[in-house]
């Protein structure tokens, strides 16, 4: 398998856990996006710089698969993988691993590149494209 | 198309909106689950009754597609549709419609039926199966 | 006691509950703000209309007291009370009651009126002042 | 002023920002609790160990004061200060500082020590008391 673009670790908190005693399923997408923002920061392409530019990268499609429950105060590492890039969209994969390397969940975010004013598709700028390979 | 199992309406709040000025993509799954819980309540199969029973229904897979941004203080109606049911899992679809009937997003949650103690698959109880058609 | 300005009801959800099995303490402020936004909507002074105007009403101070735990799938009614108003600030109180009328929690939000551009204090507009008594 | 018990840093994320373009006021309490949980972990008194013991430490009262808005992708350091301890309760203060040392917000959480089964007050165990000075 290709090597990951980035690794990001976090610890699950009291408020991440739901009434069933495990991380609420939808939290996975918050963690994934936190990893994505940290990845952008790492490459001096911060999310607030993007929001001030003439393009936006909204999520057009997303998925997650849950393989094992994630519990309170677990340290999880997300590995971000590049899946594919087209002229005006790209897809990232996220692997959620516990500290023994067990895969707890996977997620995917597909981002489209839109013009900030018109919200129509435009070509992905090189500043972003160059981060993905 | 088949008629929906249930309709649920909500209004987007200040804290649902992110720094890009639209509903944060992962919020869609919170809304979908709120609709699902309200659907269960409507049929006297509340989520806390399920948590006290000998089975659990965790989400094993989920997806969403975003067609148009959802803004602050929008009233959105979720229609829940039955997609399929197997012996020990079922899938629901969620359509997010604005007040003019425009489809803003869709989501899907696949739930597996597990034994509460062993977390191994078991047959979906009739109390849940009977809600889905 | 003075009569309430507004009543707002909600049901606690799976994701509102934390690993201790009760509503996470900080959720109380989300519910309070949801009640406040619904109150504004009820009087045609929606939060997005305010955000487009020349003033903002950020929270400058907030408090909450927790009297009894709030559990999963509880229906709670928030009663909003006016506490005081000054030239450029106002304070609201929120009472969280269960369906038997038991007071579960109270919260308070103090809002200051700032000029949108300069973020300096300005007099509360009559459109807001008139809602408070 | 007394030295802080603990320092915890975090970066604000896209989803922390609300429709007004700043961190939603109630998020401050999530950050404060994240800092508190990290402080407990640091002293091998993790939140999940506490949840398995015969006492709980729910928040009975909380407050926050907002001095300046916190923006997207800001790195904030929370300093936790001990305020006071009684036989069966304690209070912590949280200072939110930006990277230039400017105080953006303060928060306070008062925790009571309750018996896990009866939810009546009991003396704070030494394992917790010893962390506070």
């Amino acid at each position: 398998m290709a090597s990951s673009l980035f690794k990001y670790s976090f610890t699950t908190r009291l408020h991440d856990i739901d009434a069933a005693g495990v991380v609420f399923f939808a939290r996975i997408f918050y963690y994934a996006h936190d990893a994505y923002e940290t990845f952008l920061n790492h490459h001096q392409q911060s999310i607030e710089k993007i929001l001030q530019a003439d393009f936006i990268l909204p999520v057009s499609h997303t998925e997650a698969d849950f393989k094992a429950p994630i519990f309170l105060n677990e340290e999880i590492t997300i590995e971000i993988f590049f899946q594919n890039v087209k002229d005006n969209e790209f897809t990232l994969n996220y692997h959620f691993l516990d500290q023994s390397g067990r895969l707890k969940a996977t997620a995917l975010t597909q981002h489209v590149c839109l013009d900030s004013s018109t919200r129509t598709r435009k070509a992905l700028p090189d500043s972003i494209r160059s981060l993905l390979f």
Side-chain angles (χ1 to χ4, degrees), chain A residues 57-91:
Chain A
L57 300 171
V59 174
S60 52
H61 175 74
T62 192
E63 292 184 30
D65 284 281
F66 303 92
K67 317 223 178 258
I70 303 176
F71 297 104
L72 177 61
N73 207 28
E74 268 203 73
E75 190 182 349
I76 299 291
T77 297
I78 298 178
E79 296 194 17
I80 306 183
F81 293 91
F82 164 71
Q83 182 170 310
N84 66 57
V85 64
K86 295 182 187 170
D87 182 51
N88 51 36
E89 66 180 61
F90 64 92
T91 302

Side-chain angles (χ1 to χ4, degrees), chain A residues 11-19 21-24 27 31 71-74:
Chain A
T11 302
T12 59
R13 303 298 187 187
L14 190 73
H15 58 78
D16 292 326
I17 305 301
D18 68 19
V22 298
V23 166
F24 184 61
R27 284 293 294 158
Y31 300 138
F71 297 104
L72 177 61
N73 207 28
E74 268 203 73

Side-chain angles (χ1 to χ4, degrees), chain A residues 1 5 14 41 46 52 66 68 81 95-96 114 129:
Chain A
M1 182 181 233
L5 290 174
L14 190 73
N41 274 343
S46 70
Q52 288 158 9
F66 303 92
F81 293 91
H95 288 195
F96 291 72
L114 302 184
R129 180 178 297 272

Side-chain angles (χ1 to χ4, degrees), chain A residues 43 45 55 124-132:
Chain A
H43 291 289
Q45 293 296 330
F55 65 98
L124 210 52
D126 285 339
S127 58
I128 301 298
R129 180 178 297 272
S130 64
L131 307 180
L132 300 176

